[in-house]
mmCIF file of all heavy atoms in Angstrom:
data_model
loop_
_atom_site.group_PDB
_atom_site.id
_atom_site.type_symbol
_atom_site.label_atom_id
_atom_site.label_comp_id
_atom_site.label_asym_id
_atom_site.label_seq_id
_atom_site.Cartn_x
_atom_site.Cartn_y
_atom_site.Cartn_z
ATOM 1 N N SER J 1553 -0.806 51.203 -36.768
ATOM 2 C CA SER J 1553 -0.635 51.523 -38.192
ATOM 3 C C SER J 1553 0.586 50.796 -38.760
ATOM 4 O O SER J 1553 1.526 50.469 -38.036
ATOM 5 C CB SER J 1553 -0.494 53.034 -38.389
ATOM 6 O OG SER J 1553 0.700 53.484 -37.787
ATOM 7 N N PRO J 1554 0.574 50.527 -40.075
ATOM 8 C CA PRO J 1554 1.715 49.834 -40.680
ATOM 9 C C PRO J 1554 2.988 50.674 -40.592
ATOM 10 O O PRO J 1554 2.930 51.905 -40.614
ATOM 11 C CB PRO J 1554 1.312 49.654 -42.149
ATOM 12 C CG PRO J 1554 -0.101 50.091 -42.268
ATOM 13 C CD PRO J 1554 -0.473 50.839 -41.029
ATOM 14 N N LEU J 1555 4.103 49.988 -40.478
ATOM 15 C CA LEU J 1555 5.402 50.649 -40.409
ATOM 16 C C LEU J 1555 5.981 50.745 -41.811
ATOM 17 O O LEU J 1555 6.032 49.757 -42.540
ATOM 18 C CB LEU J 1555 6.352 49.849 -39.517
ATOM 19 C CG LEU J 1555 7.761 50.392 -39.361
ATOM 20 C CD1 LEU J 1555 7.737 51.743 -38.653
ATOM 21 C CD2 LEU J 1555 8.610 49.403 -38.582
ATOM 22 N N THR J 1556 6.398 51.927 -42.196
ATOM 23 C CA THR J 1556 7.056 52.120 -43.481
ATOM 24 C C THR J 1556 8.560 52.016 -43.263
ATOM 25 O O THR J 1556 9.128 52.825 -42.530
ATOM 26 C CB THR J 1556 6.718 53.507 -44.070
ATOM 27 O OG1 THR J 1556 5.300 53.627 -44.154
ATOM 28 C CG2 THR J 1556 7.342 53.687 -45.429
ATOM 29 N N PRO J 1557 9.214 51.009 -43.875
ATOM 30 C CA PRO J 1557 10.662 50.892 -43.691
ATOM 31 C C PRO J 1557 11.379 52.164 -44.148
ATOM 32 O O PRO J 1557 10.993 52.788 -45.136
ATOM 33 C CB PRO J 1557 11.043 49.702 -44.578
ATOM 34 C CG PRO J 1557 9.774 48.918 -44.721
ATOM 35 C CD PRO J 1557 8.674 49.944 -44.706
ATOM 36 N N GLN J 1558 12.395 52.539 -43.403
ATOM 37 C CA GLN J 1558 13.157 53.746 -43.711
ATOM 38 C C GLN J 1558 14.419 53.375 -44.480
ATOM 39 O O GLN J 1558 15.087 52.412 -44.144
ATOM 40 C CB GLN J 1558 13.553 54.466 -42.414
ATOM 41 C CG GLN J 1558 12.377 54.892 -41.570
ATOM 42 C CD GLN J 1558 11.560 55.970 -42.234
ATOM 43 O OE1 GLN J 1558 12.091 56.967 -42.669
ATOM 44 N NE2 GLN J 1558 10.257 55.751 -42.319
ATOM 45 N N ARG J 1559 14.722 54.158 -45.483
ATOM 46 C CA ARG J 1559 15.960 53.951 -46.219
ATOM 47 C C ARG J 1559 17.131 54.342 -45.327
ATOM 48 O O ARG J 1559 17.046 55.292 -44.557
ATOM 49 C CB ARG J 1559 15.962 54.776 -47.491
ATOM 50 C CG ARG J 1559 14.901 54.320 -48.481
ATOM 51 C CD ARG J 1559 14.951 55.171 -49.705
ATOM 52 N NE ARG J 1559 16.122 54.807 -50.491
ATOM 53 C CZ ARG J 1559 16.063 54.401 -51.758
ATOM 54 N NH1 ARG J 1559 14.911 54.335 -52.357
ATOM 55 N NH2 ARG J 1559 17.158 54.093 -52.394
ATOM 56 N N GLN J 1560 18.207 53.611 -45.466
ATOM 57 C CA GLN J 1560 19.380 53.840 -44.619
ATOM 58 C C GLN J 1560 20.148 55.075 -45.050
ATOM 59 O O GLN J 1560 20.323 55.320 -46.236
ATOM 60 C CB GLN J 1560 20.284 52.615 -44.696
ATOM 61 C CG GLN J 1560 21.472 52.730 -43.788
ATOM 62 C CD GLN J 1560 22.077 51.386 -43.498
ATOM 63 O OE1 GLN J 1560 21.381 50.459 -43.150
ATOM 64 N NE2 GLN J 1560 23.372 51.282 -43.639
ATOM 65 N N ARG J 1561 20.613 55.824 -44.058
ATOM 66 C CA ARG J 1561 21.495 56.972 -44.280
ATOM 67 C C ARG J 1561 22.590 56.896 -43.232
ATOM 68 O O ARG J 1561 22.520 57.555 -42.208
ATOM 69 C CB ARG J 1561 20.716 58.279 -44.148
ATOM 70 C CG ARG J 1561 19.681 58.495 -45.229
ATOM 71 C CD ARG J 1561 18.849 59.710 -44.967
ATOM 72 N NE ARG J 1561 19.672 60.906 -44.900
ATOM 73 C CZ ARG J 1561 19.201 62.124 -44.709
ATOM 74 N NH1 ARG J 1561 17.908 62.309 -44.551
ATOM 75 N NH2 ARG J 1561 19.998 63.162 -44.658
ATOM 76 N N ASP J 1562 23.579 56.052 -43.482
ATOM 77 C CA ASP J 1562 24.638 55.851 -42.506
ATOM 78 C C ASP J 1562 25.979 56.199 -43.139
ATOM 79 O O ASP J 1562 26.422 55.529 -44.069
ATOM 80 C CB ASP J 1562 24.641 54.396 -42.036
ATOM 81 C CG ASP J 1562 25.571 54.176 -40.859
ATOM 82 O OD1 ASP J 1562 26.585 54.892 -40.744
ATOM 83 O OD2 ASP J 1562 25.280 53.275 -40.061
ATOM 84 N N PRO J 1563 26.633 57.258 -42.647
ATOM 85 C CA PRO J 1563 27.911 57.670 -43.250
ATOM 86 C C PRO J 1563 28.992 56.604 -43.148
ATOM 87 O O PRO J 1563 29.906 56.585 -43.964
ATOM 88 C CB PRO J 1563 28.280 58.942 -42.487
ATOM 89 C CG PRO J 1563 27.458 58.933 -41.255
ATOM 90 C CD PRO J 1563 26.230 58.130 -41.548
ATOM 91 N N ALA J 1564 28.905 55.700 -42.170
ATOM 92 C CA ALA J 1564 29.927 54.656 -42.050
ATOM 93 C C ALA J 1564 29.952 53.775 -43.295
ATOM 94 O O ALA J 1564 31.021 53.396 -43.780
ATOM 95 C CB ALA J 1564 29.680 53.814 -40.799
ATOM 96 N N PHE J 1565 28.779 53.471 -43.836
ATOM 97 C CA PHE J 1565 28.720 52.620 -45.026
ATOM 98 C C PHE J 1565 29.110 53.396 -46.280
ATOM 99 O O PHE J 1565 29.760 52.853 -47.177
ATOM 100 C CB PHE J 1565 27.323 52.006 -45.173
ATOM 101 C CG PHE J 1565 27.041 50.965 -44.139
ATOM 102 C CD1 PHE J 1565 26.371 51.296 -42.969
ATOM 103 C CD2 PHE J 1565 27.456 49.659 -44.309
ATOM 104 C CE1 PHE J 1565 26.129 50.347 -41.995
ATOM 105 C CE2 PHE J 1565 27.222 48.693 -43.347
ATOM 106 C CZ PHE J 1565 26.553 49.037 -42.177
#
Side-chain angles (χ1 to χ4, degrees):
S1553 66
L1555 179 65
T1556 304
Q1558 300 293 309
R1559 294 180 74 123
Q1560 184 160 311
R1561 293 174 60 178
D1562 189 330
F1565 289 95

